[in-house]
Amino acid sequence: MSTIHLQQLVKRFGPFTALKTMDLTIADGEFVALLGPSGCGKSTTMNMIAGMERPSEGRILFDGRDMAGVPMGRRGVGFVFQNYAIFTHLTVGQNLAYGLRATRRPVDEVNRRVSAMADLLQLTTMLDRPSAGLSVNILQRVAIGRSAVMEPSIFLLDEPLSNVDAAFRTVMRTELKALQRQFRQTMVYVTHDQLEAMTMADRIAVMDHGVLQQVGTPLEIYNDPDNLFVARFIGSPGMNLLQGQPVETATGLALDLGPLGQTPPLSAPQVAALRQAKADVVYGFRPELVALVPEGQGMAMPITFVERIGARTILHLGQGSASAKVVLENDAGLQTGQILHFAPLAHAVRLFEAASGIALKGA
Amino acid sequence: MTRALAFEVLRYLILVTAIAVALVPILWMASMAFKPIPEWQATGAALTWIPKAPTLDNFRYIFGTNSNELIATLDRTAVKPILASFLAAGLGTVIAMTAGTSAAYGLSRFGSGSNLPLALVQLRLFPPMAVMTPVMIMWAFLNFTDTWWGLALVYGIVTLPFAFWLMKTFFDDMPKEIEEAALVEGCSRARVFWRITLPMMRAPLASAALFVFILNWSDYLIALLLTTREWVTIPVYMASLSSSMTGQLYGAKAALGLIAAVPPVVLGVLIQKHLVRGLTFGALKQ
């Protein structure tokens, strides 16, 4: 049973601020992913939760208890590192048993828990093998097992899958999620891979430049990004973002995108938000949520590149400084140089204030 | 084709010369150790490459079990100098490795800046001879002269920076995540050091200890200055192997040299696996 509260958390390294005033509450048994590009402060946040680093300001509470001054060995957290941190002078079995032995559990309990964990992670046949020289996939399994066998109420994973190969990553995503369901730990998972965050996390905390950008379920983050950074960062490819000026048309208020044409009319809540904001706006829509329309309607952009990725075709569009991407089915018979006439689906349109980058969310 | 052949010939010529420069003195010493007196005498009348009449007389002579009418009986045998060398070099290595490893670990994990580590290494640049006069006076005052422990203490101090620097680079290369993983599972710092760090450092520890031991084992000058009679070491004893009749006792020196070469070679072979492997944290990909 462990909730984690981060209150007004700040971390500075000399003159550099790695984390700017972060507030986050992680519920008991929740799987939260800290997602962001390299250097966004996600690992720093994690290290402070684990107790490896001291916050410059603010507090970390586990179940309401302030963790300041509690050494990492007493916090009851499990930690899995990106680079495994396996004790190479010990066998796989000794690695798994390490924490239990260090805390002086009875021998039969150690054996029971180690063999149960080895079963779960399919390591039973390797227990007596020396851990030096095993494949990276196995090593990361051992590292996860070594932490999980302690049954920590808080499980922290720092990019555990970024060194393992792609096929194994898919397997481990499912296994980690199953592991968390079984033990019901509170799990914090640092990653720069949105696919990992999307598939495993109950909620995702998106971070950039030491600032928490948005917290929400994977769908909330994907559908309703709070700002331009999240819009661009989430999704592959990210959201299309085009500069526009409001213009009155016969069918209602729309945006004039310059040479790209006019957008379809905006929805009533968006019109209201737009009138209130009275600033330059950015027009956003997901590349997947686009309909092809006859010439003369919607927006028109030339195709600059056709990227076929098997399941789908990604069209790169560009005109002047404006660029966009559209995702269509894999057999879309379109070629570079053609003009694509398209319009975003009405429910897919998002507006952002150009200057601040903040989403204009209709009432 | 001819040019390639000429190149190959030249290449091998250079290789053979280089190997000869390194090996001939050692082989010469090995051969000399088994020669009877006429074959190594300074007059060089019957100089041979390979002993014509191989004998163990040289070994018997330095261990005092054989005296030759040509050379006077030694006033002492090689047994005690060999013991002295083992004790002084061995304890010196223990001192340097213990202090060096602790200092290296502390500075590698908790130190800040590079001034202190650099200052320690600069001690190595400083020739030990420069401070030997004060050390001799201090050691005389403490009654440490001509004792194996007094010599071992100086050896430990002199080789400490070397041990420190070797171990520091090894500790710096060891990822801190490995220790943090153990810490987060509830281990104390001390337990992490003894149970995780040191065992994982077996290979570097062994190679550093060997280097330090060889440095101590082959010292001549410090032993010459700090020991006089009771606890002279092998190199000092070797220098005393001469007689008024024949001058330098080359055969006896060669025999002693051969014995002196044994410990470093044996240790080197024993830890060869570690020396070759050096530092491989197979489990880690940075």
Side-chain angles (χ1 to χ4, degrees), chain A residues 148-176:
Chain A
V149 80
M150 300 295 289
E151 292 174 17
S153 52
I154 295 175
F155 207 5
L156 308 172
L157 299 104
D158 192 352
E159 309 210 20
L161 303 184
S162 44
N163 286 355
V164 303
D165 57 54
F168 185 70
R169 207 174 295 164
T170 322
V171 177
M172 280 312 288
R173 279 207 301 265
T174 339
E175 281 189 15
L176 274 174

Side-chain angles (χ1 to χ4, degrees), chain A residues 52 73 81 84 87-89 146, chain B residues 177 180-181 183 195 199-200 283:
Chain A
M52 280 170 219
F81 295 86
Y84 331 122
F87 309 141
T88 45
H89 60 297
R146 195 182 61 199
Chain B
E177 282 89 349
E180 281 171 347
L183 285 173
R195 294 296 180 78
M200 290 188 78

Side-chain angles (χ1 to χ4, degrees), chain B residues 18 22 51 77 93 148 165:
Chain B
T77 67
T93 305
W148 64 270
W165 194 253

Side-chain angles (χ1 to χ4, degrees), chain A residues 23-100:
Chain A
D23 283 285
L24 181 66
T25 298
I26 299 166
D28 178 47
E30 193 180 23
F31 192 138
V32 168
L34 301 181
L35 176 66
S38 305
C40 71
K42 55 192 193 297
S43 289
T44 306
T45 309
M46 183 80 122
N47 291 345
M48 286 191 286
I49 297 174
M52 280 170 219
E53 271 162 36
R54 227 176 259 271
S56 306
E57 278 171 38
R59 298 198 303 167
I60 295 168
L61 311 178
F62 289 179
D63 283 334
R65 205 173 130 232
D66 194 340
M67 284 293 122
V70 179
M72 52 180 149
R74 299 250 174 79
R75 292 192 176 196
V77 300
F79 202 111
V80 176
F81 295 86
Q82 181 182 353
N83 49 16
Y84 331 122
I86 288 296
F87 309 141
T88 45
H89 60 297
L90 303 176
T91 64
V92 170
Q94 286 167 333
N95 262 287
L96 289 179
Y98 194 83
L100 296 170

Side-chain angles (χ1 to χ4, degrees), chain B residues 147-162:
Chain B
T147 61
W148 64 270
W149 59 87
L151 194 56
L153 191 56
V154 176
Y155 282 169
I157 294 167
V158 167
T159 48
L160 171 64
F162 184 65

Side-chain angles (χ1 to χ4, degrees), chain B:
Chain B
M1 184 64 207
T2 45
R3 200 179 141 220
L5 187 70
F7 176 75
E8 286 299 303
V9 169
L10 185 72
R11 204 158 74 109
Y12 278 95
L13 216 63
I14 293 171
L15 277 174
V16 167
T17 316
I19 291 169
V21 167
L23 279 186
V24 165
I26 294 168
L27 296 176
W28 183 244
M29 175 187 77
S31 153
M32 182 101 84
F34 297 98
K35 285 179 189 171
I37 297 169
E39 289 187 52
W40 55 254
Q41 241 178 346
T43 54
L47 206 63
T48 52
W49 283 99
I50 295 160
K52 281 188 188 127
T55 170
L56 289 175
D57 275 357
N58 294 321
F59 293 92
R60 292 200 194 99
Y61 175 69
I62 55 171
F63 287 108
T65 51
N66 170 279
S67 70
N68 196 297
E69 65 279 8
L70 267 178
I71 42 182
T73 315
L74 288 166
D75 57 350
R76 61 207 146 136
T77 67
V79 176
K80 200 146 179 216
I82 291 172
L83 181 69
S85 268
F86 262 112
L87 290 172
L91 182 66
T93 305
V94 169
I95 293 172
M97 287 305 295
T98 311
T101 304
S102 326
Y105 185 71
L107 281 170
S108 174
R109 289 293 181 272
F110 310 106
S112 57
S114 58
N115 287 342
L116 192 53
L118 271 180
L120 268 166
V121 174
Q122 274 161 9
L123 289 177
R124 184 76 212 150
L125 305 175
F126 200 55
M129 281 312 115
V131 292
M132 277 322 285
T133 310
V135 168
M136 282 168 72
I137 295 166
M138 281 192 283
W139 258 232
F141 179 75
L142 295 165
N143 269 334
F144 280 2
T145 42
D146 206 16
T147 61
W148 64 270
W149 59 87
L151 194 56
L153 191 56
V154 176
Y155 282 169
I157 294 167
V158 167
T159 48
L160 171 64
F162 184 65
F164 163 79
W165 194 253
L166 275 179
M167 290 315 295
K168 174 136 187 328
T169 49
F170 291 142
F171 283 130
D172 286 347
D173 283 348
M174 180 174 167
K176 65 179 173 47
E177 282 89 349
I178 290 179
E179 295 184 342
E180 281 171 347
L183 285 173
V184 98
E185 275 166 37
C187 276
S188 64
R189 260 283 166 196
R191 195 188 151 101
V192 170
F193 179 70
W194 287 109
R195 294 296 180 78
I196 301 289
T197 313
L198 282 188
M200 290 188 78
M201 282 284 165
R202 261 181 319 207
L205 272 171
S207 24
L210 177 69
F211 287 131
V212 170
F213 181 81
I214 290 173
L215 276 179
N216 290 339
W217 181 259
S218 47
D219 164 74
Y220 172 63
L221 279 167
I222 296 175
L224 181 69
L225 293 172
L226 287 182
T227 58
T228 48
R229 194 179 161 74
E230 280 302 306
W231 290 100
V232 295
T233 58
I234 293 173
V236 180
Y237 177 72
M238 191 186 284
S240 73
L241 288 175
S242 60
S243 87
S244 51
M245 286 179 72
T246 56
Q248 299 289 326
L249 299 175
Y250 290 117
K253 281 174 194 270
L256 186 61
L258 208 57
I259 293 168
V262 169
V265 170
V266 169
L267 287 174
V269 169
L270 281 180
I271 68 160
Q272 193 187 28
K273 191 184 76 186
H274 293 320
L275 280 180
V276 173
R277 202 176 52 142
L279 256 190
T280 46
F281 287 105
L284 230 116
K285 195 154 103 184
Q286 284 285 24

Side-chain angles (χ1 to χ4, degrees), chain A residues 240-244 257 260 281-285 299 301 322-324:
Chain A
N240 288 314
L241 299 161
L242 300 164
Q243 292 272 352
L257 302 177
L260 307 183
V281 289
V282 172
Y283 183 78
F285 57 95
M299 294 134 67
M301 279 175 96
S323 68

